[in-house]
Amino acid sequence: MKKSLKQFVSGLIICMATLVFGFAITALSFNLFDTLTSGQMKALFALDVASLITAGGLAFFLSETKREKKEQQKLK
């Protein structure tokens, strides 16, 4: 039970952090909509997408590395 509670809390923290950062980036983009040129908005959008892909890829890589280590320890 402790392990599942710890996983739930960890997942909740990750979810909340993702929502907060995603909302902040989106709010920034919409607040700057009238002041930026079309090219600048495209660059900001590309930066937004790239940062989300990077964060997702990093989280996936870390979770897969952790899972592989657990599997290797079980085999020993």
Side-chain angles (χ1 to χ4, degrees), residues 1 11 13 16-17 28 32-33 36 42 46 50 52 59 63-65 69 72:
M1 183 68 176
I13 290 171
M16 293 305 294
L28 177 68
L32 294 175
F33 184 73
L36 297 177
K42 289 177 184 175
L52 290 174
S63 68
E64 286 297 310
T65 303
K69 284 182 181 178
Q72 287 178 357

Side-chain angles (χ1 to χ4, degrees), residues 6 10 16-18 22 24 26 30-32 36 40 47 50-51 53 56 60 72 76:
K6 183 179 178 182
S10 174
M16 293 305 294
T18 303
T26 303
F30 280 110
N31 285 336
L32 294 175
L36 297 177
Q40 290 172 331
L47 181 64
S51 65
I53 290 173
F60 177 75
Q72 287 178 357
K76 290 183 179 180

Side-chain angles (χ1 to χ4, degrees), residues 25-72:
I25 290 170
T26 303
L28 177 68
S29 297
F30 280 110
N31 285 336
L32 294 175
F33 184 73
D34 291 334
T35 59
L36 297 177
T37 65
S38 177
Q40 290 172 331
M41 282 301 294
K42 289 177 184 175
L44 184 61
F45 179 73
L47 181 64
D48 182 20
V49 170
S51 65
L52 290 174
I53 290 173
T54 302
L58 183 62
F60 177 75
F61 176 73
L62 291 175
S63 68
E64 286 297 310
T65 303
K66 189 175 181 180
R67 185 180 62 81
E68 286 179 10
K69 284 182 181 178
K70 284 183 181 180
E71 286 180 4
Q72 287 178 357

